[in-house]
Amino acid sequence: MDDLKDKYLAAIANASDESALEDIRVQAVGKKGEVALKMRELGKMTPEERQIVGPKLNALKGEITSAIAAKKAGLADAALDERLRSEWLDVTLPGRERRQGTIHPVSQVTEEVSAIFADMGFSVAEGPRIDTDWYNFDALNIPSHHPARAEMDTFYMHRAAGDDRPPHVLRTHTSPVQIRTMEKTGAPLRIICPGGVYRADYDQTHTPMFHQVEGLAIDKDISMANLKWVLEEFFSAFFEVEGIKTRFRASHFPFTEPSAEVDIQCSWVDGQLRIGEGDGWMEVLGSGMVHPKVLQAAGVDPYEYQGFAFGMGIDRIAMLKYGIPDLRAFFDSDLRWLRHYGFASLDQPNLHGGLSR
Ligand code: PHE
């Protein structure tokens, strides 16, 4: 019995993990273990012998069992210690150097544009980037055969054969938000609609996703003169140059009549573009008086109301204002570019503090 005890206590002490301990338990005090075998021999003993050997065997069983339990607890403690050691964290170490994020030029310029137009009584309206071709085209007086539909290099959403839901597109411009807002609020109204738009196009000045801001003012006595004033106010505030001149060139959009492309005054000095001076012109937006059919499609009575609309590239005016050469870099997520062209997060643009400190 002493041999058994020494053997097993030594084995328990040396066990390196729980499964080794379990093997020892089965061998020693399991149903067919060595202690059980010894207990079976009790039957062959005389009652006197049994009275001495029985309690001793029981004590041996108890001793082995509690040694195993103690070792098990020890192993668990050691595992915990090991985990605590390896996962230990010195919270008194200095933290990682603070890195400050920046505001993307598109976000910054969207804020600037919104602040300027808010000052002129325009609120911000938004619409979905995935829209039906009715909102993107038909309601804007672009029927299915119209070449503008192809010119806009539209991304159509996939439709399985037999799926006859109306076709959806990635909106090619922010003009569908005109329709959605007029449907919702009726006239009169004054809104701008900034947001992402999509066209299949890619080079230094075109990316498949870019940003526009739509303007729409509908009331009972609105004319192109109001449009020109609003745009000149806007550009002077945006480029922070007093009295920027605009030039309206006759153009064509199916959703405006008459239509005009608008240029702003600029000059090139030593290869440097200056907005708001000189006698050069830079095209910046499309505009016009909202076509009566568009008002009608959106549930506004064209005999009672009329108004102007314009659409302008946000990324494009950001490039002009902040001298950013390549549009593609806007969407590359290159941290060096973002650090260079980004804006401090706490400098919210507003008209009084200056738009672009
Ligand atoms: N939607 C036109 C475009 O994307 C711009 C535009 C908007 C023109 C509103 C006139 C009026 O090119």
Side-chain angles (χ1 to χ4, degrees), residues 271-308:
Q272 262 230 329
L273 176 68
R274 301 245 178 93
I275 303 285
E277 60 177 57
D279 47 15
W281 298 102
M282 166 80 60
E283 186 194 323
V284 279
L285 60 84
S287 67
M289 296 301 289
V290 179
H291 197 292
K293 284 191 176 173
V294 172
L295 295 174
Q296 222 154 27
V300 170
D301 182 358
Y303 292 99
E304 214 183 331
Y305 288 102
Q306 79 286 137
F308 65 73

PDB file of all heavy atoms in Angstrom, residues 271-308:
ATOM      1  N   GLY A 271       1.052  80.093 -65.042  1.00  0.00           N
ATOM      2  CA  GLY A 271       0.555  78.718 -64.933  1.00  0.00           C
ATOM      3  C   GLY A 271      -0.346  78.490 -63.734  1.00  0.00           C
ATOM      4  O   GLY A 271      -0.700  77.359 -63.432  1.00  0.00           O
ATOM      5  N   GLN A 272      -0.679  79.565 -63.025  1.00  0.00           N
ATOM      6  CA  GLN A 272      -1.532  79.419 -61.843  1.00  0.00           C
ATOM      7  C   GLN A 272      -2.919  79.953 -62.110  1.00  0.00           C
ATOM      8  O   GLN A 272      -3.080  81.075 -62.597  1.00  0.00           O
ATOM      9  CB  GLN A 272      -0.912  80.184 -60.669  1.00  0.00           C
ATOM     10  CG  GLN A 272      -0.114  79.297 -59.744  1.00  0.00           C
ATOM     11  CD  GLN A 272      -0.524  79.511 -58.306  1.00  0.00           C
ATOM     12  OE1 GLN A 272      -0.916  80.602 -57.917  1.00  0.00           O
ATOM     13  NE2 GLN A 272      -0.453  78.459 -57.518  1.00  0.00           N
ATOM     14  N   LEU A 273      -3.921  79.157 -61.774  1.00  0.00           N
ATOM     15  CA  LEU A 273      -5.296  79.556 -62.006  1.00  0.00           C
ATOM     16  C   LEU A 273      -5.758  80.503 -60.897  1.00  0.00           C
ATOM     17  O   LEU A 273      -5.589  80.212 -59.716  1.00  0.00           O
ATOM     18  CB  LEU A 273      -6.192  78.306 -62.017  1.00  0.00           C
ATOM     19  CG  LEU A 273      -7.696  78.557 -62.148  1.00  0.00           C
ATOM     20  CD1 LEU A 273      -8.049  79.109 -63.515  1.00  0.00           C
ATOM     21  CD2 LEU A 273      -8.453  77.265 -61.874  1.00  0.00           C
ATOM     22  N   ARG A 274      -6.321  81.655 -61.283  1.00  0.00           N
ATOM     23  CA  ARG A 274      -6.915  82.560 -60.281  1.00  0.00           C
ATOM     24  C   ARG A 274      -8.387  82.745 -60.611  1.00  0.00           C
ATOM     25  O   ARG A 274      -8.718  83.213 -61.703  1.00  0.00           O
ATOM     26  CB  ARG A 274      -6.219  83.920 -60.306  1.00  0.00           C
ATOM     27  CG  ARG A 274      -4.738  83.861 -60.042  1.00  0.00           C
ATOM     28  CD  ARG A 274      -4.412  84.582 -58.732  1.00  0.00           C
ATOM     29  NE  ARG A 274      -2.990  84.490 -58.436  1.00  0.00           N
ATOM     30  CZ  ARG A 274      -2.085  85.397 -58.796  1.00  0.00           C
ATOM     31  NH1 ARG A 274      -2.479  86.491 -59.436  1.00  0.00           N
ATOM     32  NH2 ARG A 274      -0.817  85.237 -58.497  1.00  0.00           N
ATOM     33  N   ILE A 275      -9.225  82.415 -59.679  1.00  0.00           N
ATOM     34  CA  ILE A 275     -10.670  82.545 -59.888  1.00  0.00           C
ATOM     35  C   ILE A 275     -11.106  83.959 -59.509  1.00  0.00           C
ATOM     36  O   ILE A 275     -10.636  84.519 -58.524  1.00  0.00           O
ATOM     37  CB  ILE A 275     -11.432  81.536 -58.992  1.00  0.00           C
ATOM     38  CG1 ILE A 275     -10.969  80.096 -59.285  1.00  0.00           C
ATOM     39  CG2 ILE A 275     -12.941  81.682 -59.164  1.00  0.00           C
ATOM     40  CD1 ILE A 275     -11.475  79.504 -60.563  1.00  0.00           C
ATOM     41  N   GLY A 276     -12.012  84.526 -60.312  1.00  0.00           N
ATOM     42  CA  GLY A 276     -12.606  85.810 -59.937  1.00  0.00           C
ATOM     43  C   GLY A 276     -11.816  87.020 -60.413  1.00  0.00           C
ATOM     44  O   GLY A 276     -12.050  88.129 -59.961  1.00  0.00           O
ATOM     45  N   GLU A 277     -10.864  86.821 -61.318  1.00  0.00           N
ATOM     46  CA  GLU A 277     -10.143  87.964 -61.889  1.00  0.00           C
ATOM     47  C   GLU A 277      -9.804  87.655 -63.339  1.00  0.00           C
ATOM     48  O   GLU A 277      -9.951  86.515 -63.782  1.00  0.00           O
ATOM     49  CB  GLU A 277      -8.872  88.246 -61.090  1.00  0.00           C
ATOM     50  CG  GLU A 277      -7.899  87.085 -61.054  1.00  0.00           C
ATOM     51  CD  GLU A 277      -6.618  87.435 -60.301  1.00  0.00           C
ATOM     52  OE1 GLU A 277      -6.717  87.837 -59.117  1.00  0.00           O
ATOM     53  OE2 GLU A 277      -5.542  87.327 -60.904  1.00  0.00           O
ATOM     54  N   GLY A 278      -9.369  88.689 -64.081  1.00  0.00           N
ATOM     55  CA  GLY A 278      -8.946  88.480 -65.456  1.00  0.00           C
ATOM     56  C   GLY A 278     -10.100  88.288 -66.428  1.00  0.00           C
ATOM     57  O   GLY A 278     -11.252  88.493 -66.069  1.00  0.00           O
ATOM     58  N   ASP A 279      -9.750  87.901 -67.687  1.00  0.00           N
ATOM     59  CA  ASP A 279     -10.810  87.796 -68.674  1.00  0.00           C
ATOM     60  C   ASP A 279     -10.924  86.392 -69.272  1.00  0.00           C
ATOM     61  O   ASP A 279     -11.373  86.226 -70.395  1.00  0.00           O
ATOM     62  CB  ASP A 279     -10.655  88.862 -69.762  1.00  0.00           C
ATOM     63  CG  ASP A 279      -9.224  88.920 -70.266  1.00  0.00           C
ATOM     64  OD1 ASP A 279      -8.467  87.968 -69.979  1.00  0.00           O
ATOM     65  OD2 ASP A 279      -8.862  89.909 -70.934  1.00  0.00           O
ATOM     66  N   GLY A 280     -10.479  85.392 -68.514  1.00  0.00           N
ATOM     67  CA  GLY A 280     -10.703  84.000 -68.935  1.00  0.00           C
ATOM     68  C   GLY A 280     -11.995  83.471 -68.328  1.00  0.00           C
ATOM     69  O   GLY A 280     -12.593  84.112 -67.449  1.00  0.00           O
ATOM     70  N   TRP A 281     -12.439  82.351 -68.817  1.00  0.00           N
ATOM     71  CA  TRP A 281     -13.670  81.745 -68.298  1.00  0.00           C
ATOM     72  C   TRP A 281     -13.480  80.268 -68.030  1.00  0.00           C
ATOM     73  O   TRP A 281     -12.776  79.588 -68.769  1.00  0.00           O
ATOM     74  CB  TRP A 281     -14.825  81.942 -69.284  1.00  0.00           C
ATOM     75  CG  TRP A 281     -15.151  83.381 -69.514  1.00  0.00           C
ATOM     76  CD1 TRP A 281     -14.797  84.137 -70.593  1.00  0.00           C
ATOM     77  CD2 TRP A 281     -15.878  84.233 -68.628  1.00  0.00           C
ATOM     78  NE1 TRP A 281     -15.267  85.413 -70.442  1.00  0.00           N
ATOM     79  CE2 TRP A 281     -15.933  85.508 -69.246  1.00  0.00           C
ATOM     80  CE3 TRP A 281     -16.489  84.062 -67.374  1.00  0.00           C
ATOM     81  CZ2 TRP A 281     -16.575  86.593 -68.651  1.00  0.00           C
ATOM     82  CZ3 TRP A 281     -17.131  85.123 -66.795  1.00  0.00           C
ATOM     83  CH2 TRP A 281     -17.175  86.384 -67.413  1.00  0.00           C
ATOM     84  N   MET A 282     -14.123  79.796 -66.980  1.00  0.00           N
ATOM     85  CA  MET A 282     -14.003  78.389 -66.593  1.00  0.00           C
ATOM     86  C   MET A 282     -15.417  77.850 -66.412  1.00  0.00           C
ATOM     87  O   MET A 282     -16.202  78.404 -65.634  1.00  0.00           O
ATOM     88  CB  MET A 282     -13.223  78.342 -65.268  1.00  0.00           C
ATOM     89  CG  MET A 282     -13.264  77.056 -64.522  1.00  0.00           C
ATOM     90  SD  MET A 282     -12.117  75.849 -65.170  1.00  0.00           S
ATOM     91  CE  MET A 282     -10.579  76.704 -64.962  1.00  0.00           C
ATOM     92  N   GLU A 283     -15.738  76.784 -67.132  1.00  0.00           N
ATOM     93  CA  GLU A 283     -17.090  76.227 -67.018  1.00  0.00           C
ATOM     94  C   GLU A 283     -17.261  75.522 -65.674  1.00  0.00           C
ATOM     95  O   GLU A 283     -16.406  74.739 -65.271  1.00  0.00           O
ATOM     96  CB  GLU A 283     -17.339  75.232 -68.145  1.00  0.00           C
ATOM     97  CG  GLU A 283     -18.776  74.752 -68.153  1.00  0.00           C
ATOM     98  CD  GLU A 283     -18.979  73.517 -69.034  1.00  0.00           C
ATOM     99  OE1 GLU A 283     -18.328  73.435 -70.092  1.00  0.00           O
ATOM    100  OE2 GLU A 283     -19.779  72.666 -68.640  1.00  0.00           O
ATOM    101  N   VAL A 284     -18.346  75.861 -64.970  1.00  0.00           N
ATOM    102  CA  VAL A 284     -18.533  75.213 -63.666  1.00  0.00           C
ATOM    103  C   VAL A 284     -19.882  74.537 -63.461  1.00  0.00           C
ATOM    104  O   VAL A 284     -20.011  73.695 -62.578  1.00  0.00           O
ATOM    105  CB  VAL A 284     -18.324  76.194 -62.496  1.00  0.00           C
ATOM    106  CG1 VAL A 284     -16.845  76.372 -62.202  1.00  0.00           C
ATOM    107  CG2 VAL A 284     -18.996  77.519 -62.743  1.00  0.00           C
ATOM    108  N   LEU A 285     -20.895  74.869 -64.241  1.00  0.00           N
ATOM    109  CA  LEU A 285     -22.173  74.200 -63.979  1.00  0.00           C
ATOM    110  C   LEU A 285     -23.156  74.298 -65.124  1.00  0.00           C
ATOM    111  O   LEU A 285     -22.979  75.075 -66.069  1.00  0.00           O
ATOM    112  CB  LEU A 285     -22.817  74.731 -62.695  1.00  0.00           C
ATOM    113  CG  LEU A 285     -23.167  76.210 -62.576  1.00  0.00           C
ATOM    114  CD1 LEU A 285     -24.523  76.502 -63.205  1.00  0.00           C
ATOM    115  CD2 LEU A 285     -23.225  76.585 -61.107  1.00  0.00           C
ATOM    116  N   GLY A 286     -24.204  73.473 -65.020  1.00  0.00           N
ATOM    117  CA  GLY A 286     -25.324  73.522 -65.948  1.00  0.00           C
ATOM    118  C   GLY A 286     -26.548  74.036 -65.208  1.00  0.00           C
ATOM    119  O   GLY A 286     -26.693  73.809 -64.004  1.00  0.00           O
ATOM    120  N   SER A 287     -27.415  74.755 -65.947  1.00  0.00           N
ATOM    121  CA  SER A 287     -28.544  75.370 -65.250  1.00  0.00           C
ATOM    122  C   SER A 287     -29.647  75.727 -66.234  1.00  0.00           C
ATOM    123  O   SER A 287     -29.521  75.506 -67.437  1.00  0.00           O
ATOM    124  CB  SER A 287     -28.083  76.645 -64.547  1.00  0.00           C
ATOM    125  OG  SER A 287     -27.727  77.609 -65.530  1.00  0.00           O
ATOM    126  N   GLY A 288     -30.707  76.289 -65.713  1.00  0.00           N
ATOM    127  CA  GLY A 288     -31.778  76.766 -66.571  1.00  0.00           C
ATOM    128  C   GLY A 288     -33.074  76.925 -65.796  1.00  0.00           C
ATOM    129  O   GLY A 288     -33.101  76.744 -64.576  1.00  0.00           O
ATOM    130  N   MET A 289     -34.135  77.278 -66.532  1.00  0.00           N
ATOM    131  CA  MET A 289     -35.465  77.358 -65.934  1.00  0.00           C
ATOM    132  C   MET A 289     -36.105  75.978 -66.025  1.00  0.00           C
ATOM    133  O   MET A 289     -36.102  75.361 -67.100  1.00  0.00           O
ATOM    134  CB  MET A 289     -36.330  78.390 -66.678  1.00  0.00           C
ATOM    135  CG  MET A 289     -35.808  79.824 -66.580  1.00  0.00           C
ATOM    136  SD  MET A 289     -35.687  80.426 -64.880  1.00  0.00           S
ATOM    137  CE  MET A 289     -37.432  80.601 -64.460  1.00  0.00           C
ATOM    138  N   VAL A 290     -36.628  75.516 -64.916  1.00  0.00           N
ATOM    139  CA  VAL A 290     -37.176  74.154 -64.855  1.00  0.00           C
ATOM    140  C   VAL A 290     -38.261  73.971 -65.928  1.00  0.00           C
ATOM    141  O   VAL A 290     -39.169  74.797 -66.068  1.00  0.00           O
ATOM    142  CB  VAL A 290     -37.767  73.869 -63.459  1.00  0.00           C
ATOM    143  CG1 VAL A 290     -38.367  72.462 -63.414  1.00  0.00           C
ATOM    144  CG2 VAL A 290     -36.688  74.030 -62.389  1.00  0.00           C
ATOM    145  N   HIS A 291     -38.124  72.898 -66.703  1.00  0.00           N
ATOM    146  CA  HIS A 291     -39.057  72.623 -67.793  1.00  0.00           C
ATOM    147  C   HIS A 291     -40.457  72.355 -67.223  1.00  0.00           C
ATOM    148  O   HIS A 291     -40.585  71.635 -66.226  1.00  0.00           O
ATOM    149  CB  HIS A 291     -38.574  71.397 -68.577  1.00  0.00           C
ATOM    150  CG  HIS A 291     -39.211  71.264 -69.921  1.00  0.00           C
ATOM    151  ND1 HIS A 291     -40.541  70.973 -70.082  1.00  0.00           N
ATOM    152  CD2 HIS A 291     -38.701  71.398 -71.173  1.00  0.00           C
ATOM    153  CE1 HIS A 291     -40.829  70.914 -71.379  1.00  0.00           C
ATOM    154  NE2 HIS A 291     -39.720  71.172 -72.063  1.00  0.00           N
ATOM    155  N   PRO A 292     -41.506  72.940 -67.855  1.00  0.00           N
ATOM    156  CA  PRO A 292     -42.870  72.725 -67.342  1.00  0.00           C
ATOM    157  C   PRO A 292     -43.221  71.249 -67.182  1.00  0.00           C
ATOM    158  O   PRO A 292     -43.912  70.872 -66.223  1.00  0.00           O
ATOM    159  CB  PRO A 292     -43.751  73.354 -68.428  1.00  0.00           C
ATOM    160  CG  PRO A 292     -42.885  74.323 -69.138  1.00  0.00           C
ATOM    161  CD  PRO A 292     -41.471  73.849 -69.002  1.00  0.00           C
ATOM    162  N   LYS A 293     -42.717  70.406 -68.075  1.00  0.00           N
ATOM    163  CA  LYS A 293     -43.021  68.973 -67.955  1.00  0.00           C
ATOM    164  C   LYS A 293     -42.446  68.368 -66.689  1.00  0.00           C
ATOM    165  O   LYS A 293     -42.971  67.402 -66.143  1.00  0.00           O
ATOM    166  CB  LYS A 293     -42.454  68.217 -69.162  1.00  0.00           C
ATOM    167  CG  LYS A 293     -43.265  68.381 -70.426  1.00  0.00           C
ATOM    168  CD  LYS A 293     -42.761  67.389 -71.442  1.00  0.00           C
ATOM    169  CE  LYS A 293     -43.601  67.420 -72.703  1.00  0.00           C
ATOM    170  NZ  LYS A 293     -42.987  66.555 -73.740  1.00  0.00           N
ATOM    171  N   VAL A 294     -41.308  68.928 -66.231  1.00  0.00           N
ATOM    172  CA  VAL A 294     -40.672  68.426 -65.006  1.00  0.00           C
ATOM    173  C   VAL A 294     -41.532  68.805 -63.798  1.00  0.00           C
ATOM    174  O   VAL A 294     -41.777  67.982 -62.903  1.00  0.00           O
ATOM    175  CB  VAL A 294     -39.239  68.982 -64.877  1.00  0.00           C
ATOM    176  CG1 VAL A 294     -38.636  68.633 -63.529  1.00  0.00           C
ATOM    177  CG2 VAL A 294     -38.362  68.472 -66.022  1.00  0.00           C
ATOM    178  N   LEU A 295     -42.005  70.055 -63.791  1.00  0.00           N
ATOM    179  CA  LEU A 295     -42.893  70.493 -62.702  1.00  0.00           C
ATOM    180  C   LEU A 295     -44.131  69.591 -62.665  1.00  0.00           C
ATOM    181  O   LEU A 295     -44.523  69.100 -61.598  1.00  0.00           O
ATOM    182  CB  LEU A 295     -43.310  71.947 -62.911  1.00  0.00           C
ATOM    183  CG  LEU A 295     -42.185  72.979 -62.846  1.00  0.00           C
ATOM    184  CD1 LEU A 295     -42.703  74.366 -63.226  1.00  0.00           C
ATOM    185  CD2 LEU A 295     -41.567  73.019 -61.443  1.00  0.00           C
ATOM    186  N   GLN A 296     -44.690  69.376 -63.858  1.00  0.00           N
ATOM    187  CA  GLN A 296     -45.892  68.555 -63.978  1.00  0.00           C
ATOM    188  C   GLN A 296     -45.643  67.136 -63.430  1.00  0.00           C
ATOM    189  O   GLN A 296     -46.437  66.608 -62.659  1.00  0.00           O
ATOM    190  CB  GLN A 296     -46.277  68.450 -65.447  1.00  0.00           C
ATOM    191  CG  GLN A 296     -47.743  68.572 -65.701  1.00  0.00           C
ATOM    192  CD  GLN A 296     -47.999  69.087 -67.126  1.00  0.00           C
ATOM    193  OE1 GLN A 296     -47.179  68.887 -68.033  1.00  0.00           O
ATOM    194  NE2 GLN A 296     -49.115  69.747 -67.320  1.00  0.00           N
ATOM    195  N   ALA A 297     -44.528  66.533 -63.829  1.00  0.00           N
ATOM    196  CA  ALA A 297     -44.217  65.167 -63.389  1.00  0.00           C
ATOM    197  C   ALA A 297     -44.127  65.094 -61.868  1.00  0.00           C
ATOM    198  O   ALA A 297     -44.427  64.067 -61.262  1.00  0.00           O
ATOM    199  CB  ALA A 297     -42.904  64.701 -64.012  1.00  0.00           C
ATOM    200  N   ALA A 298     -43.711  66.214 -61.245  1.00  0.00           N
ATOM    201  CA  ALA A 298     -43.545  66.214 -59.792  1.00  0.00           C
ATOM    202  C   ALA A 298     -44.783  66.755 -59.086  1.00  0.00           C
ATOM    203  O   ALA A 298     -44.772  66.991 -57.873  1.00  0.00           O
ATOM    204  CB  ALA A 298     -42.319  67.047 -59.415  1.00  0.00           C
ATOM    205  N   GLY A 299     -45.863  66.982 -59.848  1.00  0.00           N
ATOM    206  CA  GLY A 299     -47.121  67.409 -59.227  1.00  0.00           C
ATOM    207  C   GLY A 299     -47.189  68.892 -58.896  1.00  0.00           C
ATOM    208  O   GLY A 299     -47.971  69.300 -58.042  1.00  0.00           O
ATOM    209  N   VAL A 300     -46.369  69.706 -59.572  1.00  0.00           N
ATOM    210  CA  VAL A 300     -46.424  71.161 -59.353  1.00  0.00           C
ATOM    211  C   VAL A 300     -47.051  71.798 -60.606  1.00  0.00           C
ATOM    212  O   VAL A 300     -46.681  71.458 -61.737  1.00  0.00           O
ATOM    213  CB  VAL A 300     -45.013  71.729 -59.095  1.00  0.00           C
ATOM    214  CG1 VAL A 300     -45.038  73.257 -59.113  1.00  0.00           C
ATOM    215  CG2 VAL A 300     -44.469  71.228 -57.757  1.00  0.00           C
ATOM    216  N   ASP A 301     -47.985  72.699 -60.398  1.00  0.00           N
ATOM    217  CA  ASP A 301     -48.706  73.297 -61.524  1.00  0.00           C
ATOM    218  C   ASP A 301     -47.822  74.307 -62.264  1.00  0.00           C
ATOM    219  O   ASP A 301     -47.495  75.374 -61.728  1.00  0.00           O
ATOM    220  CB  ASP A 301     -49.959  74.002 -60.981  1.00  0.00           C
ATOM    221  CG  ASP A 301     -50.782  74.612 -62.114  1.00  0.00           C
ATOM    222  OD1 ASP A 301     -50.361  74.517 -63.286  1.00  0.00           O
ATOM    223  OD2 ASP A 301     -51.855  75.187 -61.802  1.00  0.00           O
ATOM    224  N   PRO A 302     -47.440  74.004 -63.511  1.00  0.00           N
ATOM    225  CA  PRO A 302     -46.530  74.900 -64.247  1.00  0.00           C
ATOM    226  C   PRO A 302     -47.198  76.205 -64.673  1.00  0.00           C
ATOM    227  O   PRO A 302     -46.507  77.134 -65.096  1.00  0.00           O
ATOM    228  CB  PRO A 302     -46.121  74.071 -65.470  1.00  0.00           C
ATOM    229  CG  PRO A 302     -47.166  73.026 -65.617  1.00  0.00           C
ATOM    230  CD  PRO A 302     -47.779  72.794 -64.275  1.00  0.00           C
ATOM    231  N   TYR A 303     -48.541  76.281 -64.580  1.00  0.00           N
ATOM    232  CA  TYR A 303     -49.210  77.547 -64.920  1.00  0.00           C
ATOM    233  C   TYR A 303     -49.155  78.511 -63.736  1.00  0.00           C
ATOM    234  O   TYR A 303     -49.373  79.696 -63.870  1.00  0.00           O
ATOM    235  CB  TYR A 303     -50.657  77.288 -65.341  1.00  0.00           C
ATOM    236  CG  TYR A 303     -50.712  76.541 -66.656  1.00  0.00           C
ATOM    237  CD1 TYR A 303     -50.912  75.166 -66.687  1.00  0.00           C
ATOM    238  CD2 TYR A 303     -50.507  77.227 -67.862  1.00  0.00           C
ATOM    239  CE1 TYR A 303     -50.934  74.480 -67.881  1.00  0.00           C
ATOM    240  CE2 TYR A 303     -50.526  76.550 -69.067  1.00  0.00           C
ATOM    241  CZ  TYR A 303     -50.737  75.179 -69.083  1.00  0.00           C
ATOM    242  OH  TYR A 303     -50.738  74.505 -70.268  1.00  0.00           O
ATOM    243  N   GLU A 304     -48.858  77.955 -62.570  1.00  0.00           N
ATOM    244  CA  GLU A 304     -48.810  78.790 -61.382  1.00  0.00           C
ATOM    245  C   GLU A 304     -47.365  79.064 -60.929  1.00  0.00           C
ATOM    246  O   GLU A 304     -47.047  80.131 -60.426  1.00  0.00           O
ATOM    247  CB  GLU A 304     -49.562  78.073 -60.245  1.00  0.00           C
ATOM    248  CG  GLU A 304     -50.280  79.013 -59.310  1.00  0.00           C
ATOM    249  CD  GLU A 304     -50.939  78.248 -58.161  1.00  0.00           C
ATOM    250  OE1 GLU A 304     -51.313  77.073 -58.360  1.00  0.00           O
ATOM    251  OE2 GLU A 304     -51.042  78.836 -57.073  1.00  0.00           O
ATOM    252  N   TYR A 305     -46.532  78.045 -61.126  1.00  0.00           N
ATOM    253  CA  TYR A 305     -45.168  78.146 -60.592  1.00  0.00           C
ATOM    254  C   TYR A 305     -44.118  78.005 -61.678  1.00  0.00           C
ATOM    255  O   TYR A 305     -44.331  77.333 -62.684  1.00  0.00           O
ATOM    256  CB  TYR A 305     -44.923  77.036 -59.560  1.00  0.00           C
ATOM    257  CG  TYR A 305     -45.655  77.260 -58.263  1.00  0.00           C
ATOM    258  CD1 TYR A 305     -46.827  76.548 -57.984  1.00  0.00           C
ATOM    259  CD2 TYR A 305     -45.169  78.165 -57.328  1.00  0.00           C
ATOM    260  CE1 TYR A 305     -47.502  76.745 -56.789  1.00  0.00           C
ATOM    261  CE2 TYR A 305     -45.835  78.361 -56.122  1.00  0.00           C
ATOM    262  CZ  TYR A 305     -46.996  77.660 -55.860  1.00  0.00           C
ATOM    263  OH  TYR A 305     -47.642  77.858 -54.689  1.00  0.00           O
ATOM    264  N   GLN A 306     -42.988  78.608 -61.447  1.00  0.00           N
ATOM    265  CA  GLN A 306     -41.802  78.322 -62.275  1.00  0.00           C
ATOM    266  C   GLN A 306     -40.569  78.503 -61.394  1.00  0.00           C
ATOM    267  O   GLN A 306     -40.669  78.916 -60.241  1.00  0.00           O
ATOM    268  CB  GLN A 306     -41.730  79.204 -63.520  1.00  0.00           C
ATOM    269  CG  GLN A 306     -41.224  80.626 -63.341  1.00  0.00           C
ATOM    270  CD  GLN A 306     -42.211  81.548 -62.664  1.00  0.00           C
ATOM    271  OE1 GLN A 306     -41.859  82.323 -61.810  1.00  0.00           O
ATOM    272  NE2 GLN A 306     -43.484  81.458 -63.040  1.00  0.00           N
ATOM    273  N   GLY A 307     -39.411  78.146 -61.926  1.00  0.00           N
ATOM    274  CA  GLY A 307     -38.214  78.298 -61.093  1.00  0.00           C
ATOM    275  C   GLY A 307     -36.960  77.917 -61.841  1.00  0.00           C
ATOM    276  O   GLY A 307     -37.007  77.499 -62.993  1.00  0.00           O
ATOM    277  N   PHE A 308     -35.834  78.093 -61.157  1.00  0.00           N
ATOM    278  CA  PHE A 308     -34.565  77.718 -61.786  1.00  0.00           C
ATOM    279  C   PHE A 308     -33.978  76.491 -61.100  1.00  0.00           C
ATOM    280  O   PHE A 308     -34.327  76.161 -59.965  1.00  0.00           O
ATOM    281  CB  PHE A 308     -33.570  78.881 -61.777  1.00  0.00           C
ATOM    282  CG  PHE A 308     -33.100  79.320 -60.401  1.00  0.00           C
ATOM    283  CD1 PHE A 308     -32.210  78.546 -59.657  1.00  0.00           C
ATOM    284  CD2 PHE A 308     -33.527  80.548 -59.871  1.00  0.00           C
ATOM    285  CE1 PHE A 308     -31.762  78.973 -58.407  1.00  0.00           C
ATOM    286  CE2 PHE A 308     -33.088  80.970 -58.612  1.00  0.00           C
ATOM    287  CZ  PHE A 308     -32.213  80.181 -57.883  1.00  0.00           C
TER     288      PHE A 308
END
